[in-house]
Amino acid sequence: MGRGKLRIYLGAAPGVGKTYAMLSEAHRRIERGTDCVVAFVEHHERPRTEVMLHGLEQIRRKRLEYRGSAFTEMDVDAVLARRPQVALVDELAHTNIPGSRNAKRWQDVEELLAAGIDVISTVNIQHLESLGDVVESITGVRQQETVPDEVVRRADQIELVDMEPQALRRRMAHGNVYQPDKVDAALSNYFRPGNLTALRELALLWVADRVDEYLKQYRSDHRVSKIWGSRERIVVGLTGGPEGRTLIRRAARLAEKGAGGEVLAVYIARSDGLTSASPKELAVQRTLVEDLGGTFHHVVGDDIPAALLAFARGVNATQIVLGSSRRRSWQYVFGPGVGVTVARDSGPDLDVHIVTHEEAAKGRGLPVARGARLGRARILWGWITGVGGPVLLTLLLTHIDADLGLANDMLLFLTLTVAAALLGGLYPALASAAVGSLLLNWFFTPPLHRISIADPKNLLALVIFVLVAVAVASVVDLAARRTHQAARLRAESEILSFLAGNVLRGETGLEELLERVRETFGMDSAALLERESDVDPWTRAGEAGVGRAPERPEDADVDVPVGDHMALALTGRVLPAEDRRVLAAFAAQAAVVLDRRRLQEEADQAKELAVSHDLRTPLAGIKAAVSSLRSDDVAWSQEDEAELLEGIEEGADRLDHLVGNLLDMSRLQTGTVTPLIREIDLDEVVPMALGGVPDGSAELDIPETLPMVAVDPGLLERSVANLVENAVKYSPDGSRVLVSASAIADRVEVRVVDRGPGVPDDAKERIFAPFQRYGDAPRGAGVGLGLAVARGFAEAMGGTLNAEDTPGGGLTMVLTVRAAGSRAELVEEGGVPVEHPVEPERQTT
């Protein structure tokens, strides 16, 4: 039985017609003979949507009792028993009522898909987990019901349901979305034109990114190298010169003209050096391109035009932006330059923009280093000069009536040998010395036209000529090779310093690092492989890899061992030996990243073990006391029995507190805490929160003139109780914890002040993380959830919780909540946030 297919109608905003589109699709499938049922669809009393349910088979919903009220949810068991071909499940991000089979509806959908049932569902863009902060900043409303992005990304089909903001507002005004009494509030708050436009843009960009991922995968699977201009991608070629900022800004303006345009800045470090590159300027340009929404890439390539074009085609770019050459006019005798070469070789599918700038034709700041890899043209000219030059010089000297003397003739031939060394390196220079010595012997050394020398002085001069020619050629070639090595080492050091900095700061994950390896060396795929022993099969370390990575190192074009049972494997081409040094550094860093990930996982497991230990401690004490009381071998006195019973009671209370915090944190992490907001006085709630601490350990200061607050009383009590218990735990003996309250504008602050050791500034946020205990807190003092639960409950009520220093020493916890009447409460109804004057029906505390 295969897995079912998931189709999602993604709404740009509430009310655009997702459910209507889903029901229309269901009618079309039924007409084609498909077995399609409604597992759960909420029409929200919208008449047009309700009409679309007619003629569709609906699975009876499951009724649940919660806090004296009845609710209905999707009956997963009934759908599985019915086993339709297609099930319609509305509102994918919905949170189920406590007591349901799963906490979230998307988890119900996963069960249906695993059973081989196709599912059609709906979700709004604001419910995607990664966009929660963005949506809150736009609309001012925090979405309580979310769905992980990965769940939506895994869908087999995603169809965007979109509508112009003004058309959606007209639909609402006509009563097609909400009841008439809610329309005005919705239009003036959440459904303002600006909000709807921003949500629409978010939806379009998210879907465009998903389409782009699919296109990349398709091009990789089918090995498509030709550029498809489906989206404007603009590559900016940087040299590290001052003109780079101008090029980046011009590329950003070009990208703005096309929908979804993307800017990719690339700096290519080549073996024979880019000596004018300024690391400081490159850092500034990296920051600039990232601020403009682009990305920065660092690539090694010996042939800059070829490397630039290969990068552009690899990312499916449509345009390349280059700056006008900084070379002076006379320097063009050495070649046409990068810009002309790229424009000539780009082909019809890649546009090249040459941008003028203030530095054009002013010359480079530093001379271009000569490398050993001189290029075919240079080597050819070296051979022409070394072999053809002596022949032409001989013709010239033998046809003019000038007796320069053997010494001057030798200097002229030596000049050609040096020129051959400068142009083509060692071998053309050696050939020039050999040809020159033969021509000097035949035409200019008596006896003429014979390979013999009569005068021993001439023989000595000719030998010195050959030795000087070979020495000069060797020195020139050695200097070129040293320059080449220095340039290459500098390029390597730039890459390695960038790599090490990112890894040490924890900014690069294993997938990103492997992508950097593949990109830097121009490979097709990269993966880190490992095995337990010599006889075990190879597997991908950490399930990480980019491209179609090989299954074994021996199947790769390049493999670099990392220890005895790990290797970095790449496919695409065979790299030269000199590249393996940098590749080995990448491999070592990949192993470091993998080790860090595994250490983090082990630390997380250690936290779970610590929780287990803290839970077992009170259980062990209770069991020991009960076993002692049940023992017939010892006659316990009344005092001993009372002490054992007191130990049992204390252990049970402690265990109840620990389990309560664990359950609260579980509900916070799953998003099932929905506060019941109502108006109440603080002095009705805060005193009840002190019941868990010894008498006299806390002091209350709650003025009677404080305004009422809009909170969930149960959540507020638990938050304050956790704060007070934590403060008492760390307060010195004889010191009382102060719990005070004050009103500031439309907010009310509750301060819990202790005189304990305090917390450094860099740890004030860390103490609110789950399972964190600061300093030397004794084992058994809790699992480190009290403050995390307190902050979670505060934020669920729309408040905040922060830590401050107590003047004179200690720590002050500041819990801020809304004063009653400051604003209408926002609740989520049918997945749409609207102003609502009454309490929501559902509550989880």
Side-chain angles (χ1 to χ4, degrees):
M1 178 182 62
R3 179 179 173 85
K5 296 184 180 298
L6 175 61
R7 177 171 182 171
I8 292 179
Y9 285 93
L10 178 66
V16 294
K18 306 178 305 300
T19 305
Y20 190 93
M22 178 179 67
L23 295 174
S24 298
E25 175 65 18
H27 282 287
R28 286 193 293 271
R29 296 199 180 199
I30 290 176
E31 291 175 359
R32 296 196 300 264
T34 304
D35 181 16
C36 184
V37 302
V38 176
F40 189 97
V41 168
E42 190 67 67
H43 56 73
H44 298 297
E45 299 182 1
R46 297 169 185 169
R48 295 179 181 273
T49 305
E50 188 174 3
V51 168
M52 293 297 294
L53 284 169
H54 296 166
L56 299 178
E57 177 185 350
Q58 300 187 47
I59 302 294
R60 184 181 298 274
R61 300 183 183 183
K62 185 176 183 179
R63 294 181 60 84
L64 295 171
E65 295 288 335
Y66 182 70
R67 295 197 171 186
S69 300
F71 301 93
T72 60
E73 295 286 4
M74 181 174 69
D75 193 336
V76 179
D77 291 324
V79 179
L80 293 174
R82 171 64 174 75
R83 292 198 61 80
Q85 290 179 275
V86 180
L88 308 185
V89 182
D90 205 7
E91 298 178 4
L92 188 64
H94 171 76
T95 301
N96 294 329
I97 289 295
S100 301
R101 183 190 189 97
N102 295 301
K104 304 287 288 187
R105 184 165 292 162
W106 65 263
Q107 295 170 325
D108 296 336
V109 169
E110 286 293 321
E111 286 198 42
L112 300 183
L113 295 172
I117 300 174
D118 294 345
V119 175
I120 304 177
S121 188
T122 65
V123 70
N124 282 328
I125 190 67
Q126 72 264 23
H127 293 300
L128 295 182
E129 200 168 74
S130 66
L131 300 178
D133 294 338
V134 179
V135 172
E136 183 178 13
S137 67
I138 294 171
T139 65
V141 177
R142 183 68 182 183
Q143 299 296 324
Q144 299 298 327
E145 293 190 329
T146 60
V147 58
D149 290 45
E150 186 59 28
V151 173
V152 182
R153 288 185 182 277
R154 287 201 306 263
D156 299 278
Q157 288 181 268
I158 298 178
E159 184 170 331
L160 179 65
V161 183
D162 187 24
M163 181 176 288
E164 286 283 348
Q166 295 302 331
L168 178 56
R169 286 172 58 84
R170 285 195 300 271
R171 174 182 286 186
M172 295 191 63
H174 294 160
N176 295 331
V177 179
Y178 293 123
Q179 297 299 316
D181 59 333
K182 300 178 182 178
V183 170
D184 290 340
L187 289 175
S188 60
N189 289 277
Y190 192 86
F191 290 87
R192 294 192 298 270
N195 291 359
L196 296 179
T197 302
L199 291 175
R200 188 184 188 204
E201 183 179 17
L202 278 179
L204 291 170
L205 291 176
W206 194 92
V207 173
D209 286 340
R210 206 263 184 180
V211 173
D212 191 47
E213 291 174 5
Y214 173 78
L215 181 60
K216 286 182 179 179
Q217 186 63 41
Y218 180 87
R219 285 170 55 86
S220 175
D221 293 343
H222 293 78
R223 300 185 181 277
V224 178
S225 59
K226 184 178 179 181
I227 292 176
W228 290 355
S230 56
R231 180 179 180 180
E232 288 296 338
R233 279 192 181 84
I234 303 173
V235 170
V236 185
L238 302 178
T239 65
E243 76 281 1
R245 304 184 203 181
T246 301
L247 303 184
I248 292 171
R249 294 189 180 97
R250 177 63 60 86
R253 291 196 295 272
L254 289 174
E256 290 175 356
K257 295 179 181 179
E262 183 179 359
V263 176
L264 301 92
V266 57
Y267 167 64
I268 301 175
R270 61 183 180 183
S271 304
D272 56 355
L274 280 177
T275 55
S276 60
S278 167
K280 182 177 180 181
E281 182 64 27
L282 281 176
V284 172
Q285 292 172 14
R286 174 193 293 274
T287 302
L288 176 61
V289 72
E290 291 175 350
D291 289 344
L292 293 174
T295 56
F296 186 93
H297 304 266
H298 194 135
V299 176
V300 172
D302 295 322
D303 186 339
I304 289 182
L308 183 61
L309 288 170
F311 176 84
R313 292 191 173 98
V315 298
N316 200 30
T318 57
Q319 301 180 57
I320 296 179
V321 174
L322 298 173
S324 297
S325 177
R326 286 184 283 139
R327 295 190 298 175
R328 300 186 186 276
S329 301
W330 62 268
Q331 291 177 305
Y332 282 96
V333 300
F334 298 107
V338 173
V340 174
T341 305
V342 170
R344 181 191 64 202
D345 299 338
S346 61
D349 52 356
L350 188 57
D351 297 335
V352 179
H353 301 265
I354 305 296
V355 179
T356 59
H357 51 85
E358 295 180 353
E359 302 297 323
K362 290 185 177 180
R364 296 183 181 273
L366 293 173
V368 178
R370 294 185 180 273
R373 297 178 182 177
L374 302 173
R376 294 181 179 180
R378 288 281 301 277
I379 293 175
L380 178 62
W381 277 107
W383 281 102
I384 292 174
T385 303
V387 177
V391 175
L392 294 175
L393 180 60
T394 301
L395 292 174
L396 178 64
L397 293 177
T398 55
H399 285 78
I400 63 174
D401 188 13
D403 186 9
L404 300 178
L406 182 60
N408 290 327
D409 293 338
M410 286 184 177
L411 288 176
L412 290 174
F413 278 91
L414 183 60
T415 302
L416 291 175
T417 301
V418 173
L422 291 173
L423 288 174
L426 178 61
Y427 295 110
L430 294 178
S432 178
V435 173
S437 64
L438 291 175
L439 292 175
L440 282 169
N441 189 338
W442 184 269
F443 289 102
F444 302 103
T445 306
L448 301 178
H449 308 298
R450 292 177 60 184
I451 305 299
S452 62
I453 301 174
D455 190 347
K457 294 180 180 179
N458 293 337
L459 176 61
L460 178 61
L462 194 59
V463 170
I464 292 174
F465 164 76
V466 173
L467 292 177
V468 170
V470 172
V472 170
S474 299
V475 169
V476 171
D477 183 70
L478 179 63
R481 285 191 286 112
R482 290 289 185 264
T483 304
H484 159 68
Q485 292 172 358
R488 183 173 185 84
L489 288 173
R490 189 190 60 189
E492 291 178 359
S493 65
E494 289 177 359
I495 295 174
L496 292 178
S497 63
F498 169 76
L499 170 67
N502 280 5
V503 172
L504 291 176
R505 290 191 300 268
E507 297 175 357
T508 302
L510 187 56
E511 287 281 358
E512 291 81 2
L513 184 60
L514 293 175
E515 176 60 29
R516 174 70 65 178
V517 174
R518 187 200 64 78
E519 181 183 273
T520 298
F521 294 95
M523 306 299 283
D524 293 335
S525 68
L528 190 63
L529 306 178
E530 67 174 347
R531 60 181 177 180
E532 295 293 333
S533 66
D534 294 337
V535 297
D536 292 326
W538 290 93
T539 60
R540 286 193 182 188
E543 298 297 325
V546 291
R548 291 181 173 272
E551 299 296 330
R552 301 178 303 169
E554 49 266 32
D555 297 334
D557 294 318
V558 180
D559 69 283
V560 179
V562 187
D564 295 332
H565 301 112
M566 188 177 293
L568 178 63
L570 301 97
T571 60
R573 62 190 177 95
V574 178
L575 294 178
E578 54 192 2
D579 286 337
R580 294 181 68 88
R581 178 172 51 207
V582 178
L583 195 57
F586 271 105
Q589 295 287 22
V592 169
V593 172
L594 179 64
D595 288 342
R596 186 171 60 214
R597 177 195 289 185
R598 289 175 173 171
L599 286 174
Q600 183 61 47
E601 292 174 354
E602 292 176 2
D604 294 339
Q605 293 176 359
K607 289 180 181 179
E608 296 177 2
L609 293 176
V611 174
S612 175
H613 178 275
D614 289 324
L615 289 173
R616 289 177 179 274
T617 299
L619 282 175
I622 294 172
K623 180 174 177 57
V626 171
S627 299
S628 299
L629 290 174
R630 287 173 55 87
S631 175
D632 298 331
D633 300 335
V634 181
W636 302 101
S637 64
Q638 291 185 352
E639 291 79 6
D640 291 337
E641 289 183 357
E643 184 176 351
L644 290 172
L645 290 172
E646 183 180 358
I648 293 173
E649 185 176 11
E650 290 179 355
D653 291 341
R654 188 165 142 202
L655 185 63
D656 177 68
H657 180 73
L658 292 174
V659 172
N661 275 338
L662 285 171
L663 292 176
D664 290 338
M665 180 51 61
S666 174
R667 286 194 286 267
L668 284 170
Q669 291 179 339
T670 56
T672 57
V673 175
T674 304
L676 176 61
I677 304 296
R678 64 187 183 89
E679 297 181 1
I680 194 170
D681 287 318
L682 278 180
D683 55 10
E684 296 182 34
V685 179
V686 176
M688 299 173 60
L690 307 185
V693 297
D695 293 339
S697 60
E699 177 184 352
L700 277 177
D701 182 15
I702 309 294
E704 296 181 357
T705 57
L706 283 178
M708 300 180 74
V709 293
V711 297
D712 182 313
L715 299 187
L716 179 61
E717 180 185 342
R718 288 297 304 276
S719 297
V720 176
N722 283 357
L723 296 179
V724 173
E725 289 175 10
N726 185 76
V728 170
K729 184 192 308 178
Y730 288 98
S731 293
D733 295 337
S735 175
R736 304 177 70 183
V737 172
L738 174 63
V739 182
S740 63
S742 59
I744 300 177
D746 62 343
R747 317 288 286 182
V748 175
E749 287 186 353
V750 178
R751 292 177 169 265
V752 180
V753 184
D754 67 59
R755 294 292 179 180
V759 175
D761 290 339
D762 59 355
K764 282 187 171 62
E765 280 300 311
R766 210 162 55 240
I767 59 176
F768 292 104
F771 307 110
Q772 296 293 318
R773 283 184 284 204
Y774 180 73
D776 58 351
R779 175 65 65 187
V783 295
L785 286 176
L787 295 182
V789 170
R791 172 173 275 191
F793 283 168
E795 292 177 349
M797 295 183 292
T800 60
L801 176 59
N802 297 291
E804 299 178 356
D805 291 328
T806 301
L811 188 68
T812 298
M813 292 292 180
V814 183
L815 173 63
T816 305
V817 295
R818 289 195 301 269
S822 60
R823 51 175 284 192
E825 296 305 315
L826 285 169
V827 300
E828 197 161 285
E829 183 175 66
V832 181
V834 295
E835 289 199 1
H836 202 297
V838 300
E839 300 172 357
E841 295 181 353
R842 301 181 180 182
Q843 174 194 9
T844 302
T845 58

